[in-house]
Amino acid sequence: MRCPSCASLDTQVKASRPTDDSSSIRRRRICPDCGGRFTTFERVQLRELTVLKRSGRRVPFDRDKLQQSVDVALRKRPVDPERVERMINGIVRQLESMGEGEVPSETVGELVMEGLKGLDDVAYVRFASVYKNFREAKDFEEILGKLAEGEEELPPPPKKKRAPSEP
Ligand SMILES: [Zn+2]
Protein backbone atom coordinates (compact mmCIF):
# COMPACT_ATOMS: atom_id res chain seq x y z
CA MET A 1 0.00 0.00 0.00
CA ARG A 2 1.49 3.28 -1.14
CA CYS A 3 2.15 5.91 1.53
CA PRO A 4 -0.22 8.86 0.97
CA SER A 5 2.39 11.27 2.32
CA CYS A 6 5.55 10.37 0.43
CA ALA A 7 4.37 7.71 -2.07
CA SER A 8 6.80 5.11 -0.73
CA LEU A 9 5.62 1.58 -1.45
CA ASP A 10 7.31 0.14 1.62
CA THR A 11 4.59 0.65 4.27
CA GLN A 12 3.94 -1.70 7.17
CA VAL A 13 0.82 -2.85 9.00
CA LYS A 14 1.11 -2.03 12.70
CA ALA A 15 -2.28 -3.15 13.92
CA SER A 16 -5.25 -4.92 12.44
CA ARG A 17 -8.71 -5.38 13.90
CA PRO A 18 -12.33 -5.65 12.79
CA THR A 19 -14.49 -2.54 13.02
CA ASP A 20 -17.19 -2.53 15.70
CA ASP A 21 -19.80 -4.03 13.39
CA SER A 22 -17.26 -6.56 11.98
CA SER A 23 -18.09 -5.48 8.43
CA SER A 24 -14.52 -4.35 7.73
CA ILE A 25 -10.98 -4.93 8.87
CA ARG A 26 -9.23 -1.78 9.92
CA ARG A 27 -5.45 -1.64 9.54
CA ARG A 28 -3.17 0.99 11.00
CA ARG A 29 -0.17 1.40 8.75
CA ILE A 30 3.10 3.18 9.14
CA CYS A 31 5.57 4.36 6.55
CA PRO A 32 9.20 3.71 7.60
CA ASP A 33 10.43 6.29 5.07
CA CYS A 34 8.58 9.36 6.33
CA GLY A 35 6.98 8.14 9.57
CA GLY A 36 3.53 8.82 8.12
CA ARG A 37 0.61 6.89 9.66
CA PHE A 38 -2.62 6.05 7.92
CA THR A 39 -5.54 3.66 8.09
CA THR A 40 -6.92 1.27 5.49
CA PHE A 41 -10.09 -0.79 5.49
CA GLU A 42 -10.67 -4.18 3.93
CA ARG A 43 -14.28 -4.88 2.99
CA VAL A 44 -16.60 -7.22 1.20
CA GLN A 45 -17.75 -6.30 -2.28
CA LEU A 46 -20.97 -8.12 -3.06
CA ARG A 47 -21.34 -7.06 -6.65
CA GLU A 48 -20.07 -4.69 -9.27
CA LEU A 49 -22.05 -1.49 -9.43
CA THR A 50 -22.54 0.93 -12.27
CA VAL A 51 -23.57 4.52 -11.77
CA LEU A 52 -25.85 6.11 -14.32
CA LYS A 53 -24.94 9.78 -14.53
CA ARG A 54 -27.35 12.59 -15.27
CA SER A 55 -25.64 12.96 -18.66
CA GLY A 56 -26.64 9.36 -19.47
CA ARG A 57 -23.06 8.13 -19.16
CA ARG A 58 -22.38 4.94 -17.22
CA VAL A 59 -19.32 4.70 -15.00
CA PRO A 60 -18.20 1.98 -12.58
CA PHE A 61 -19.11 2.78 -9.00
CA ASP A 62 -16.01 4.03 -7.20
CA ARG A 63 -16.15 3.75 -3.44
CA ASP A 64 -12.98 5.82 -3.06
CA LYS A 65 -14.56 8.73 -4.90
CA LEU A 66 -17.60 8.51 -2.70
CA GLN A 67 -15.33 8.45 0.34
CA GLN A 68 -13.44 11.49 -0.94
CA SER A 69 -16.56 13.59 -1.35
CA VAL A 70 -17.71 12.54 2.11
CA ASP A 71 -14.27 13.40 3.53
CA VAL A 72 -14.41 16.84 1.93
CA ALA A 73 -17.80 17.47 3.52
CA LEU A 74 -16.49 16.25 6.88
CA ARG A 75 -13.22 18.18 6.78
CA LYS A 76 -12.18 19.27 10.29
CA ARG A 77 -15.44 17.99 11.77
CA PRO A 78 -15.20 15.92 14.96
CA VAL A 79 -16.60 12.68 13.55
CA ASP A 80 -15.12 9.25 14.33
CA PRO A 81 -13.74 7.70 11.09
CA GLU A 82 -15.37 4.41 12.04
CA ARG A 83 -18.79 5.99 12.00
CA VAL A 84 -18.02 7.38 8.57
CA GLU A 85 -16.87 3.94 7.46
CA ARG A 86 -20.10 2.38 8.73
CA MET A 87 -22.19 5.00 7.00
CA ILE A 88 -20.45 4.39 3.69
CA ASN A 89 -20.73 0.62 4.14
CA GLY A 90 -24.44 1.08 4.69
CA ILE A 91 -24.76 3.15 1.53
CA VAL A 92 -22.84 0.60 -0.52
CA ARG A 93 -24.96 -2.28 0.84
CA GLN A 94 -28.12 -0.38 -0.09
CA LEU A 95 -26.81 0.33 -3.57
CA GLU A 96 -25.79 -3.28 -4.03
CA SER A 97 -29.27 -4.44 -3.13
CA MET A 98 -30.91 -2.19 -5.72
CA GLY A 99 -32.07 -3.22 -9.17
CA GLU A 100 -29.64 -4.74 -11.63
CA GLY A 101 -26.45 -3.28 -10.27
CA GLU A 102 -27.06 0.02 -12.01
CA VAL A 103 -27.91 3.00 -9.85
CA PRO A 104 -28.68 6.61 -10.81
CA SER A 105 -26.13 9.11 -9.49
CA GLU A 106 -29.04 10.97 -7.85
CA THR A 107 -29.72 7.94 -5.68
CA VAL A 108 -26.11 7.85 -4.52
CA GLY A 109 -26.25 11.54 -3.70
CA GLU A 110 -29.51 11.21 -1.78
CA LEU A 111 -28.14 8.32 0.28
CA VAL A 112 -24.99 10.28 1.12
CA MET A 113 -27.04 13.29 2.18
CA GLU A 114 -29.21 11.09 4.35
CA GLY A 115 -26.16 9.45 5.92
CA LEU A 116 -24.40 12.74 6.59
CA LYS A 117 -27.51 14.18 8.15
CA GLY A 118 -27.20 11.50 10.82
CA LEU A 119 -23.49 12.16 11.34
CA ASP A 120 -22.93 15.88 11.27
CA ASP A 121 -25.19 18.80 10.35
CA VAL A 122 -22.37 20.94 9.02
CA ALA A 123 -21.08 18.19 6.74
CA TYR A 124 -24.61 17.58 5.57
CA VAL A 125 -25.11 21.19 4.56
CA ARG A 126 -21.69 21.30 2.90
CA PHE A 127 -22.39 18.20 0.87
CA ALA A 128 -25.92 19.25 0.00
CA SER A 129 -24.74 22.67 -1.15
CA VAL A 130 -22.35 21.06 -3.64
CA TYR A 131 -24.62 18.22 -4.62
CA LYS A 132 -27.69 20.34 -5.11
CA ASN A 133 -25.59 23.07 -6.67
CA PHE A 134 -27.07 25.84 -4.58
CA ARG A 135 -27.06 29.19 -6.24
CA GLU A 136 -29.24 31.20 -3.93
CA ALA A 137 -29.21 31.89 -0.25
CA LYS A 138 -32.81 30.72 0.05
CA ASP A 139 -31.70 27.18 -0.82
CA PHE A 140 -29.51 27.23 2.27
CA GLU A 141 -32.32 28.63 4.35
CA GLU A 142 -34.61 25.89 3.15
CA ILE A 143 -32.19 23.11 4.03
CA LEU A 144 -31.27 24.71 7.35
CA GLY A 145 -34.96 25.01 8.06
CA LYS A 146 -35.35 21.29 7.45
CA LEU A 147 -32.50 20.61 9.86
CA ALA A 148 -34.20 22.68 12.53
CA GLU A 149 -37.43 20.71 12.20
CA GLY A 150 -38.16 18.70 15.27
CA GLU A 151 -35.85 20.87 17.31
CA GLU A 152 -36.80 23.78 19.48
CA GLU A 153 -38.20 26.73 17.66
CA LEU A 154 -35.59 29.34 16.99
CA PRO A 155 -35.96 32.61 18.89
CA PRO A 156 -37.12 35.54 16.75
CA PRO A 157 -34.29 37.51 15.14
CA PRO A 158 -33.07 40.45 17.27
CA LYS A 159 -34.69 43.78 16.41
CA LYS A 160 -32.50 46.19 14.52
CA LYS A 161 -30.95 48.80 16.72
CA ARG A 162 -31.70 52.29 15.62
CA ALA A 163 -28.56 54.15 14.66
CA PRO A 164 -27.89 57.09 17.00
CA SER A 165 -27.89 59.59 14.16
CA GLU A 166 -31.46 58.68 13.18
CA PRO A 167 -34.21 61.02 14.43
ZN1 LIG B 1 5.81 7.90 3.65
Side-chain angles (χ1 to χ4, degrees):
M1 181 73 62
R2 189 194 301 273
C3 171
S5 305
C6 74
S8 166
L9 287 170
D10 183 32
T11 58
Q12 291 163 9
V13 175
K14 280 307 195 193
S16 178
R17 65 176 175 83
T19 52
D20 290 342
D21 63 353
S22 294
S23 67
S24 321
I25 304 288
R26 186 177 197 271
R27 296 186 213 285
R28 286 295 296 159
R29 294 174 185 264
I30 185 163
C31 170
D33 290 348
C34 74
R37 287 160 193 273
F38 58 105
T39 303
T40 57
F41 291 93
E42 176 187 310
R43 333 176 168 81
V44 177
Q45 179 174 350
L46 292 180
R47 65 197 290 191
E48 297 288 332
L49 286 169
T50 303
V51 176
L52 179 58
K53 298 230 172 195
R54 273 176 235 211
S55 63
R57 236 164 38 94
R58 288 173 170 78
V59 295
F61 173 72
D62 184 340
R63 185 195 168 103
D64 290 340
K65 270 192 195 153
L66 177 64
Q67 174 97 47
Q68 278 162 24
S69 55
V70 167
D71 286 346
V72 168
L74 280 164
R75 187 171 290 157
K76 301 213 169 148
R77 299 298 300 162
V79 179
D80 180 357
E82 278 211 14
R83 292 185 68 206
V84 180
E85 173 74 9
R86 278 207 296 280
M87 179 198 86
I88 294 178
N89 283 347
I91 290 171
V92 174
R93 285 296 98 82
Q94 285 183 72
L95 295 173
E96 284 173 339
S97 64
M98 280 173 186
E100 300 294 312
E102 186 173 289
V103 290
S105 57
E106 288 91 341
T107 305
V108 182
E110 297 291 335
L111 287 175
V112 173
M113 286 209 296
E114 215 166 280
L116 284 176
K117 208 192 296 183
L119 280 186
D120 186 80
D121 282 353
V122 170
Y124 166 63
V125 173
R126 282 181 187 158
F127 184 86
S129 69
V130 174
Y131 174 68
K132 290 195 177 282
N133 196 14
F134 289 171
R135 279 181 214 94
E136 295 177 38
K138 73 175 172 61
D139 293 330
F140 278 108
E141 282 165 23
E142 194 186 321
I143 207 153
L144 290 169
K146 278 182 189 157
L147 277 177
E149 271 172 30
E151 290 169 18
E152 284 174 53
E153 244 177 80
L154 294 170
K159 291 202 178 112
K160 266 189 196 163
K161 270 190 200 155
R162 201 189 283 178
S165 60
E166 273 180 71

